Amino acid sequence: MAFTLDKFSLTGKVAIVTGAGGRGNSIGRAYAFGLANAGAAVLVADLNGEGAQRVADEIAATGARAIAAQVDIADRASVDAMVQAAVDAFGGVDILVNNAAMMAELNFEPASQITLDAWNRIMAVNVTGALNCSQAVLPSMTQRGGGRIVNALSGGAYPPQTVYGISKIALAGLTTTLASELGRANITVNAIAPGNTMSDAGKGLTPKDGPFRQKMDLNVVMRVEGQPDELVGALILLASDAGSWMTGQVLHVDGGWILRP
């Protein structure tokens, strides 16, 4: 059967995007809008409940279906309530985007000096939070005959040189592990590793005159800066039937920062 663009349609699908309401121009917001534009009903989730509701209202104003949920992904009961809200509103869950993470809030202490409490909090959100959400959606995905899980990594994990990077390379390990466990259930598990994305958070972390930006100017082969919307194409591929034979993969969307054969 010939390939058609209908493979990219998400009509009739239900998606959850975590970390989608915390800041105005965010990757999570771009993901939620992109999934809705492709036809999915979207639950916009964030620790900032008011921000999540604002994004859901913006999506609903376009005629798409969207609701909001306040969630702490490090708290399993909160995650279970989020998933139940999607089931109650839309009938189930087909797509999970584990986008929520601690990044802008971090002080980027050296691993040799970080307190155990700070370390545990980062891992609880950036790694265990993704596990909580993935486990919580599995019953619905299994009942519906399959699903798509997409995790948010970072070019800063290749190689990891910060505690944040360590958390993201651990999430890469969770990605491949869940992919190997869930493939025969028709549940794909992949990841997107953004480069220097000019979200509101990204602008604050990588100023143009900072040493990190100067290093990227020397190493990135195409374009140092990207916009949140430029990540959406990779997400739609991984969330749709167009990417149904892909699992356990990390897509680097970064202008050629991380070059991996």
Side-chain angles (χ1 to χ4, degrees):
M1 183 176 178
F3 178 85
T4 67
L5 291 178
D6 291 343
K7 291 286 188 180
F8 288 100
S9 173
L10 298 177
T11 300
K13 301 298 185 181
V14 178
I16 293 174
V17 184
T18 65
R23 296 177 180 85
N25 178 35
S26 70
I27 292 174
R29 179 181 181 277
Y31 282 162
F33 262 92
L35 292 167
N37 287 339
V42 180
L43 185 147
V44 179
D46 202 280
L47 186 62
N48 179 347
E50 292 182 0
Q53 188 63 60
R54 181 172 59 252
V55 173
D57 289 344
E58 291 173 352
I59 293 172
T62 70
R65 295 187 297 162
I67 62 170
Q70 192 278 335
V71 65
D72 178 356
I73 62 171
D75 182 317
R76 183 54 187 267
S78 180
V79 169
D80 287 340
M82 171 191 71
V83 173
Q84 189 61 52
V87 172
D88 291 344
F90 302 128
V93 180
D94 304 289
I95 301 159
L96 168 67
V97 184
N98 282 315
N99 175 71
M102 293 184 69
M103 183 184 70
E105 304 85 355
L106 302 180
N107 294 321
F108 286 91
E109 300 100 325
S112 56
Q113 300 174 22
I114 194 169
T115 66
L116 189 57
D117 284 346
W119 169 278
N120 287 340
R121 179 58 180 165
I122 294 169
M123 296 303 164
V125 174
N126 291 7
V127 185
T128 307
L131 178 63
N132 280 338
C133 294
S134 299
Q135 289 181 341
V137 299
L138 288 181
S140 182
M141 287 186 177
T142 301
Q143 184 181 38
R144 290 162 77 87
R148 306 283 186 263
I149 297 173
V150 182
N151 294 325
L153 299 190
S154 169
Y158 297 89
Q161 300 180 65
T162 63
V163 174
Y164 172 76
I166 293 170
S167 74
K168 290 301 184 177
I169 203 67
L171 185 55
L174 180 63
T175 300
T176 55
T177 298
L178 289 178
S180 68
E181 294 176 356
L182 302 176
R184 295 303 175 93
N186 194 34
I187 298 171
T188 67
V189 188
N190 293 289
I192 298 171
N196 187 36
T197 309
M198 291 295 96
S199 62
D200 288 350
K203 290 176 182 178
L205 287 171
T206 60
K208 291 183 181 296
D209 57 351
F212 178 77
R213 173 57 186 266
Q214 292 171 6
K215 182 179 179 181
M216 293 197 78
D217 284 336
L218 294 174
N219 295 329
V220 175
V221 303
M222 181 183 174
R223 176 160 45 90
V224 173
E225 294 181 354
Q227 298 299 321
D229 284 347
E230 294 183 274
L231 301 167
V232 174
L235 175 64
I236 300 302
L237 170 64
L238 296 177
S240 69
D241 286 345
S244 61
W245 203 34
M246 297 176 63
T247 197
Q249 305 303 308
V250 178
L251 297 187
H252 292 269
V253 186
D254 58 12
W257 175 22
I258 307 300
L259 302 177
R260 303 180 71 205

